[in-house]
Amino acid sequence: MMNLFSSFDPMTTPMNMSLNWISTFLGMLLLPFTYWLHPNRLSIMHYIPMNMLDKEMKILMSNKEASLLFITLFLLIFYNNFLGLFPYIFTSSSHLTFSLSLALPLWLSFNLYGWINNMVHMFSHLVPQNTPPMLMPFMVLIETSSNLIRTITLSVRLTANMIAGHLLLILLSSTSTKLNLLLTPMLILPQILLLALESAVTIIQSYVFTVLSVLYSNEVN
């Protein structure tokens, strides 16, 4: 690590090869072989929260069969966020390349499906109910702008939250080398609390990204 931001650089490997992106699939390698045997304790522990998430997704969704897609999206983001908490592992979700590659195809597919199959329904979303006639042109511009920036808000929200917490961890750990040995234990407690906060952020950001994607998909049906 040559500088503060090198932990978010996908090109820090030898020979200028972006091998850091292998961390995106590292979670599959860490799963024990017994995970694929059904039933077992690990699969049951995994099934219970996913079943709760599936029920919540089906409440929000008009198309109940598509819940598996969004649960898979949740797991992909969560595993990559969680793996980034380990030292010397590249956090792929802190890079816009990762978050944009998830948000942009979702946004494009939702809008293409909506404008091709439900054009009248999509036009009705541009003007909310009970809007005064004088404000209708402005509401169309505002709703169009909010629809266009959804890809940016989805991706930047995930990236910014992951970068912010990891930078705080790096800043605290870098100051420990310059502190007195008597003051070093006082730095451990804030780091533990911040690590616990980052663990919660990994789940929250995965959940927010998935739920917003579900809500956007409902607007095209």
Side-chain angles (χ1 to χ4, degrees):
M1 294 175 62
M2 302 300 296
N3 55 61
L4 186 61
F5 295 95
S6 60
S7 61
F8 309 107
D9 184 10
M11 302 293 291
T12 53
T13 52
M15 300 176 63
N16 260 353
M17 298 175 63
S18 55
L19 297 178
N20 285 348
W21 288 107
I22 297 177
S23 64
T24 307
F25 310 102
L26 192 61
M28 297 296 294
L29 300 177
L30 297 179
L31 288 175
F33 292 120
T34 55
Y35 175 79
W36 307 106
L37 300 176
H38 187 79
N40 61 77
R41 294 180 181 179
L42 188 60
S43 63
I44 292 174
M45 290 175 59
H46 185 268
Y47 173 77
I48 292 175
M50 290 304 104
N51 189 34
M52 296 172 58
L53 184 62
D54 179 60
K55 291 179 180 179
E56 186 169 351
M57 293 293 173
K58 288 182 177 178
I59 294 174
L60 299 174
M61 297 173 62
S62 56
N63 185 9
K64 311 298 183 183
E65 290 78 15
S67 62
L68 183 60
L69 170 66
F70 293 101
I71 291 176
T72 306
L73 178 67
F74 172 84
L75 289 174
L76 174 65
I77 299 173
F78 169 71
Y79 283 143
N80 282 279
N81 291 348
F82 184 73
L83 285 172
L85 297 177
F86 291 93
Y88 303 108
I89 294 182
F90 172 66
T91 312
S92 56
S93 56
S94 66
H95 208 283
L96 272 176
T97 305
F98 177 86
S99 54
L100 271 176
S101 64
L102 295 177
L104 187 59
L106 286 173
W107 179 83
L108 281 177
S109 58
F110 294 156
N111 280 274
L112 287 175
Y113 177 84
W115 286 107
I116 292 173
N117 297 287
N118 301 316
M119 186 175 293
V120 177
H121 182 71
M122 295 295 289
F123 274 118
S124 65
H125 272 289
L126 298 179
V127 182
Q129 292 182 352
N130 302 323
T131 303
M134 294 182 61
L135 295 178
M136 284 184 179
F138 298 101
M139 292 304 299
V140 171
L141 292 175
I142 293 173
E143 291 295 325
T144 304
S145 301
S146 66
N147 189 18
L148 291 175
I149 65 173
R150 283 177 177 176
T151 304
I152 301 174
T153 55
L154 271 178
S155 56
V156 171
R157 181 189 295 110
L158 175 62
T159 301
N161 279 281
M162 298 312 298
I163 285 179
H166 284 64
L167 281 179
L168 286 175
L169 287 172
I170 293 172
L171 286 171
L172 282 176
S173 60
S174 62
T175 55
S176 62
T177 58
K178 301 178 182 179
L179 288 178
N180 193 347
L181 291 177
L182 297 177
L183 298 177
T184 302
M186 298 177 59
L187 191 63
I188 296 177
L189 180 60
Q191 284 184 323
I192 294 175
L193 294 177
L194 187 57
L195 190 62
L197 177 63
E198 278 299 294
S199 302
V201 169
T202 59
I203 303 175
I204 293 171
Q205 290 305 314
S206 308
Y207 179 79
V208 168
F209 191 101
T210 308
V211 169
L212 287 177
S213 301
V214 170
L215 294 177
Y216 294 159
S217 68
N218 287 338
E219 294 184 3
V220 303
N221 294 319

